[in-house]
Amino acid sequence: MARTMAPGAPGAPVAPAAPAVRAAPATGARTSGPRGREALADLLVTFLETGSPPAGLFRPDVFCDLTVPQWRLQSEGLPGLVALRRAGHPAPGVVPRHRVDPTPTGFVIELEERWEQDGQSWYCRELMRADVEDGMITRISVYCTGDWDAEQQQRHGQEVVLLRP
């Protein structure tokens, strides 16, 4: 299965249109509420691994801005966010590593994902910035390296020696 984000390509994610400009939450927005940042980040990892958002993770009107190599997609509302996620990563997977840093309005999470799909092993790295109000994610921006198939992972392993995982 070709992993592409080109418009109209088979399997290319399609999401509901969203406004071109949306204001970020005020700097005084509450970010604690019922759940702290670390707990929300853990629930976000659960969503990424399963494709199903845990109750209370996202506000119903959550806004997502997803950037992948040479493409950008957006969704507004929980059904749109879930559809966007499942279109790009329909199979469950694992997040073997992640790091969470607080921000004044929420948190940033850096992670890698691994999953199996159509007999292939896939990998990607992502950085996400989440705005939180009243203990739920209201806006999330996702920056993804793109999905690497087994061939790309092997090529990278042969040509690059990473200093740290």
Side-chain angles (χ1 to χ4, degrees):
M1 171 179 187
R3 303 293 297 178
T4 181
M5 292 293 182
V14 176
V21 177
R22 183 161 171 113
T27 54
R30 293 193 323 213
T31 59
S32 55
R35 295 189 176 105
R37 292 175 180 115
E38 290 288 335
L40 274 176
D42 288 343
L43 290 175
L44 180 58
V45 167
T46 297
F47 169 58
L48 298 173
E49 290 181 332
T50 65
S52 297
L57 172 60
F58 299 107
R59 282 209 0 198
D61 62 345
V62 63
F63 177 77
C64 179
D65 192 355
L66 169 64
T67 302
V68 294
Q70 302 182 28
W71 210 245
R72 185 173 176 197
L73 302 162
Q74 296 180 335
S75 68
E76 189 161 42
L78 187 54
L81 182 142
V82 171
L84 188 62
R85 171 66 185 175
R86 289 182 181 166
H89 288 232
V94 295
V95 175
R97 261 185 283 286
H98 72 276
R99 172 185 167 165
V100 179
D101 294 313
T103 68
T105 59
F107 62 91
V108 171
I109 184 169
E110 176 186 16
L111 56 90
E112 67 180 49
E113 289 188 77
R114 294 187 177 279
W115 69 100
E116 299 289 325
Q117 183 180 333
D118 300 327
Q120 280 268 6
S121 295
W122 294 90
Y123 167 85
C124 74
R125 289 179 44 90
E126 296 167 316
L127 189 67
M128 302 178 188
R129 184 193 46 77
D131 291 329
V132 176
E133 290 182 32
D134 297 323
M136 291 185 285
I137 296 173
T138 60
R139 178 183 168 106
I140 188 163
S141 296
V142 180
Y143 300 89
C144 180
T145 60
D147 300 338
W148 294 9
D149 63 10
E151 183 180 326
Q152 180 69 17
Q153 293 173 66
Q154 182 179 11
R155 183 174 149 240
H156 182 265
Q158 292 170 345
E159 295 182 22
V160 178
V161 175
L162 296 176
L163 301 176
R164 298 180 185 176

